[in-house]
Amino acid sequence: SKLLEIRDLKVKYGNIEALHGVSLYVDKGEIVTLIGANGAGKSTTLMSISRLPPPEAPKVIEGDILYDGQSLLDWVPDKIVADLHLALVPEGRRIFGNLSVEENLRLATYARKDTPTDVERDYKRVYSLFPRLHERRKQQSESLSGGEQQMLAVGRALMSGCTFIMLDEPSMGLAPLLMYDMFRALKELNREGMTILLIEQNANLALKFADRGYVIDTGEIVAQGPSDQLMDDP
Ligand code: ADP
Ligand code: ADP
């Protein structure tokens, strides 16, 4: 069943149209990737769904974004996370550098409505998926490596209690070994039921990981299908 469905989405920044009618869907439990060159419209698509960050939010002109059958267009970003359990890990690892790893994770739980037991279970899950974060839990976050900060950004999304996670270029700037750890952790989450929408410039990496993909070029979807069919050189 379609968990997320984007229908013929047109989006503008001021007078400039950045998306010219994008349609895509993600089924519950799937890993879907949206790939394309820099400037193609990948981040704009994700920001239209989550409307984060508010000051730069692109404006939806036409089309609709449905989540679990209801339109997302009237929802505010905080509600999308707290009530719909949909989280975005934006590009640039938005974490609080002056706070510890532990404090960053704790802050991400503020809007949760479920029980302390659920929250406790998610701490354990984050630390077991990313043992490096557990080792460094008392450290100030800005002292972590870039890759560890990216893991923390994903950890924060998990601590928000999400069941659908959207990631904007999680491989960006990661050393190969950390990249492997990151994608292995995401696969593990998916096996436990997490639905994933991944944005990547690194198409090969993304298609190896995803079930299905969409290729976007200058604001339009130009190809779509199962990952093995989209790979140039499978
Ligand atoms: P990608 O994520 O694929 O690199 P973006 O979604 O960031 O692409 O950008 C799509 C298009 O929208 C580009 O032409 C980009 O210059 C433009 N764009 C992105 N953000 C803004 C913004 N805040 N204001 C104006 N134009 C923007
Ligand atoms: P991305 O891969 O996210 O598109 P960019 O380097 O293109 O990264 O953009 C960095 C930031 O600048 C983003 O937050 C984006 O919204 C904004 N941005 C991108 N293009 C433009 C633009 N043409 N005018 C204004 N802001 C832009």
Side-chain angles (χ1 to χ4, degrees):
S1 62
K2 286 176 187 168
L3 184 53
L4 175 73
E5 187 181 7
I6 298 180
R7 286 188 187 157
D8 202 24
L9 194 69
K10 291 189 181 155
V11 162
K12 283 185 175 177
Y13 292 99
N15 292 325
I16 300 162
E17 193 172 277
L19 300 183
H20 313 298
V22 165
S23 297
L24 62 82
Y25 71 90
V26 182
D27 281 336
K28 195 165 194 281
E30 262 193 315
I31 303 179
V32 172
T33 187
L34 176 63
I35 53 185
N38 191 29
K42 303 183 299 298
S43 300
T44 300
T45 304
L46 281 204
M47 286 196 289
S48 302
I49 300 167
S50 72
R51 262 146 301 132
L52 196 110
E56 300 165 10
K59 195 166 178 334
V60 173
I61 303 304
E62 257 181 66
D64 206 350
I65 302 171
L66 301 173
Y67 190 75
D68 226 354
Q70 54 185 322
S71 176
L72 273 188
L73 295 181
D74 305 324
W75 288 64
V76 298
D78 278 357
K79 287 253 179 202
I80 289 175
V81 178
D83 295 345
L84 299 181
H85 310 292
L86 171 65
L88 168 64
V89 180
E91 201 190 328
R93 310 169 182 139
R94 281 171 221 209
I95 56 170
F96 299 99
N98 56 334
L99 300 181
S100 72
V101 167
E102 213 169 53
E103 287 164 336
N104 263 284
L105 293 178
R106 190 179 328 122
L107 269 180
T109 68
Y110 78 98
R112 288 181 70 149
K113 293 173 175 161
D114 45 7
T115 66
T117 321
D118 293 324
V119 176
E120 208 47 49
R121 182 206 57 212
D122 285 346
Y123 276 118
K124 290 211 179 88
R125 189 162 65 148
V126 169
Y127 286 141
S128 82
L129 284 170
F130 302 114
R132 283 163 171 276
L133 292 183
H134 187 253
E135 286 162 28
R136 289 162 178 69
R137 64 192 180 280
K138 302 287 180 198
Q139 285 183 31
Q140 199 161 325
S141 302
E142 65 196 6
S143 73
L144 302 182
S145 74
E148 290 162 353
Q149 290 184 23
Q150 185 65 272
M151 289 171 177
L152 180 54
V154 174
R156 282 175 51 80
L158 299 180
M159 291 316 298
S160 76
C162 67
T163 53
F164 187 128
I165 190 168
M166 303 189 288
L167 303 128
D168 195 343
E169 308 240 5
S171 72
M172 180 82 87
L174 292 200
L177 208 56
L178 285 191
M179 194 137 82
Y180 175 79
D181 284 349
M182 170 67 76
F183 280 90
R184 198 185 44 186
L186 293 173
K187 258 299 198 238
E188 175 66 32
L189 280 170
N190 175 252
R191 272 194 292 270
E192 294 167 10
M194 183 77 68
T195 307
I196 299 177
L197 175 58
L198 168 77
I199 278 187
E200 268 293 339
Q201 272 192 61
N202 186 340
N204 253 332
L205 175 72
L207 291 172
K208 273 191 195 124
F209 170 72
D211 305 314
R212 225 158 39 78
Y214 293 87
V215 182
I216 188 168
D217 183 19
T218 51
E220 290 178 52
I221 301 292
V222 294
Q224 58 182 291
S227 294
D228 50 359
Q229 285 179 23
L230 288 177
M231 261 186 249
D232 283 339
D233 187 15

